[in-house]
Amino acid sequence: MKIALVEYGAGNLPSVERALSHLGVESRRASTPEALAGCDALILPGVGHFGALMRSLGERSLVAPLREAVSRGTPLLGICLGLQAMFATSDEAPGDTGLSLFPQKVSALPQTDRLPHMGWNQLRRARPSKLLEGVPQDAYFYFAHSYAALDAGEAGVAFCDHCAPFVAVLEQGNTFATQFHPEKSGPVGAQILSNFVRQAGGKA
Amino acid sequence: MSLAHRIIPCLDTDGERVVKGVNFVNLRDAGDPAALAARYNIEGADELVVLDIAASRDHRPTFLETIRRVAAELAIPLTAGGGVANVDEGRAILRAGADKLTVNTAAIRNPRLLTALAAEFGSQAVVLAIDAKRVGDRWEAFVRGGSVPTGIDAVAWARQGVDCGAGEILITSMDKDGTRSGFDCPLTAEISRAVSVPVIASGGADTPETFLEVFREGRADAALAASIFHDSIQGLGALKRFLGEQGVSVRQTG
């Protein structure tokens, strides 16, 4: 199968590539609409700023192709800022529009505890999750962010609590995302990536 | 459910090899960074820091290669730094595979560097490293690997650094560094009270009790140590089991 990491000039592609390669999964990078079109599954990694990410996707004419790929049924995994990009808007960049796969918005976490939310935290599961299959209930995942989606309707399948409850795992049809970094979350993170690859019809 | 306190092994390098010394002097070779990284990744480190303490311009390509070699061994976050003086150097370190970068001397000279780095990479990727030494009734920030006093109050500098864009503070007690006499809890607690971002305590690590102290009394979010891990004086698994038994939230790793 062809798994592509969406390359837009930022994000931490090598670490995701390495994590996939440890699972025996080959990936390629896709930075053009044509490259996206021929893929069986897509991963949108993300580090940085919501506005910068959306502008980079826009400059590469990748916004519409990404939305079209999702509507065709291509499995998509968003990571960290890649999760946030799936929403309509973000407090981080009030003027910019996201991929709008979900109508809700990304909020600045209220400063009731230390921010950025940096380090390893556990999840609270709300609904059955394909990404979390085989993952122990008390597993820790690595987070590094100050913004988060507080609500994603039925798509919010697991939450984390830091400053406020927020969506940690998002699943709806062929769309998947994690606010944490599976590629930085040790063996349980590898399990999440493996689950995504299997959902996408591959072997891992 | 709560955020785990992090245990962070630190690899001080000359760009290429891990070195160690007491109070920033008398450096000696302590091994291959990639080999140590592989070991800590398996043993349950929550993050790894790799620093180029020589930080000479000529040596930078070697250090970037070291970052690449270390990152290749890790399924945990990597922080790297040493001599970062501008956005391009920061980008090179992140491109080599680090998730976060530390800045120290250049940020004191020009605090706007923190703002520029945060704007480019996000605050979560910008760690302000401060080397502090007790001077009278306060702590003073030192630069250039702890060799040059600045006259600047370390606690005030931490606060200003966060205002400028730093997303985390790595506070090293020069009085404690290399002494294995426990972390500087009063210093760490002062910094921790002064800022809203996570604080990593460094310098003085010894027994599991010293980690417990810095998490409780020092209010640290993370604790960093080098030689006690490199020399296998303290195992990561045993340390985390001890902390867990004492009621400290830590990520247990089998």
Side-chain angles (χ1 to χ4, degrees):
Chain A
M1 71 180 302
K2 293 176 190 164
I3 285 202
L5 306 187
V6 182
E7 183 169 35
Y8 52 88
N12 201 351
L13 266 58
S15 58
V16 181
E17 283 170 336
R18 230 175 4 248
L20 289 170
S21 128
H22 285 163
L23 295 169
V25 176
E26 287 282 320
S27 61
R28 58 168 80 178
R29 299 184 181 192
S31 58
T32 63
E34 297 72 32
L36 286 189
C39 291
D40 303 317
L42 297 169
I43 296 179
L44 180 62
V47 176
H49 188 275
F50 183 93
L53 166 60
M54 291 313 303
R55 279 192 292 279
S56 297
L57 290 177
E59 282 159 13
R60 288 169 173 74
S61 306
L62 292 175
V63 174
L66 268 171
R67 290 174 52 87
E68 283 155 19
V70 169
S71 61
R72 274 199 310 274
T74 307
L76 170 66
L77 174 67
I79 296 174
C80 191
L81 188 62
L83 173 147
Q84 298 179 11
M86 292 177 171
F87 287 83
T89 58
S90 171
D91 283 352
E92 191 175 21
D96 291 307
T97 305
L99 291 172
S100 304
L101 302 174
F102 299 93
Q104 296 89 351
K105 68 166 218 170
V106 175
S107 304
L109 287 169
Q111 179 108 46
T112 59
D113 200 339
R114 294 193 183 277
L115 286 176
H117 177 219
M118 177 89 70
W120 299 77
N121 212 332
Q122 293 171 304
L123 309 181
R124 183 163 43 78
R125 302 189 190 191
R127 295 177 183 83
S129 160
K130 290 169 179 162
L131 284 185
L132 291 170
E133 270 175 22
V135 172
Q137 289 283 340
D138 58 355
Y140 281 90
F141 296 92
Y142 183 75
F143 292 84
H145 63 115
S146 298
Y147 294 82
L150 305 185
D151 173 40
E154 295 288 309
V157 297
F159 290 78
C160 181
D161 294 318
H162 185 83
C163 294
F166 63 85
V167 178
V169 181
L170 185 149
E171 294 182 24
Q172 182 174 282
N174 54 315
T175 308
F176 301 84
T178 62
Q179 180 57 64
F180 54 82
H181 286 273
E183 78 282 12
K184 297 283 165 191
S185 295
V188 291
Q191 179 73 52
I192 299 263
L193 290 173
S194 161
N195 287 347
F196 172 71
V197 171
R198 283 192 291 107
Q199 281 304 315
K203 286 181 187 159
Chain B
M1 176 166 92
S2 69
L3 191 58
H5 292 81
R6 284 169 283 157
I7 306 293
I8 306 177
C10 178
L11 309 178
D12 290 321
T13 74
D14 61 4
E16 191 169 10
R17 300 282 296 176
V18 177
V19 292
K20 62 183 186 181
V22 175
N23 292 336
F24 290 102
V25 292
N26 296 327
L27 302 175
R28 62 188 176 86
D29 189 284
D32 173 46
L36 280 168
R39 191 179 114 199
Y40 296 140
N41 182 63
I42 288 173
E43 289 179 356
D46 295 309
E47 190 171 323
L48 198 73
V49 169
V50 55
L51 299 176
D52 176 8
I53 63 170
S56 76
R57 289 281 170 286
D58 304 346
H59 223 53
R60 186 54 40 149
T62 311
F63 183 56
L64 293 175
E65 183 53 31
T66 296
I67 294 173
R68 272 187 280 277
R69 291 180 56 232
V70 166
E73 301 295 337
L74 298 180
I76 56 173
L78 173 64
T79 299
V84 172
N86 57 52
V87 168
D88 285 341
E89 289 173 5
R91 183 180 293 110
I93 281 179
L94 296 176
R95 287 235 167 113
D99 303 287
K100 303 188 263 188
L101 52 97
T102 68
V103 276
N104 187 335
T105 304
I108 285 202
R109 294 203 175 127
N110 172 24
R112 281 174 304 180
L113 173 62
L114 294 169
T115 314
L117 291 168
E120 189 75 17
F121 311 118
S123 283
Q124 87 293 330
V126 182
V127 183
L128 174 59
I130 302 175
D131 297 327
K133 189 174 183 174
R134 185 109 205 179
V135 177
D137 60 353
R138 64 178 197 140
W139 289 275
E140 183 175 338
F142 280 62
V143 294
R144 293 204 156 272
S147 62
V148 179
T150 63
I152 294 170
D153 182 83
V155 177
W157 168 229
R159 196 181 290 120
Q160 186 194 349
V162 170
D163 288 344
C164 288
E168 200 165 19
I169 302 286
L170 167 56
I171 180 70
T172 299
S173 164
M174 293 173 58
D175 301 305
K176 293 287 195 171
D177 194 50
T179 64
R180 289 186 57 198
S181 61
F183 292 92
D184 192 333
C185 291
L187 167 64
T188 308
E190 279 292 310
I191 298 280
S192 193
R193 264 191 290 273
V195 300
S196 57
V197 302
V199 173
I200 306 168
S202 157
D206 186 30
T207 60
E209 285 78 7
T210 62
F211 285 83
L212 183 63
E213 282 164 14
V214 81
F215 289 138
R216 290 217 172 128
E217 294 157 35
R219 302 176 51 164
D221 300 284
L224 176 146
S227 54
I228 61 160
F229 297 136
H230 303 339
D231 296 343
S232 300
I233 294 165
Q234 179 61 58
L236 282 157
L239 171 59
K240 288 177 138 192
R241 275 193 297 282
F242 169 82
L243 291 168
E245 284 160 12
Q246 298 296 317
V248 176
S249 62
V250 284
R251 177 181 72 112
Q252 304 291 354
T253 47

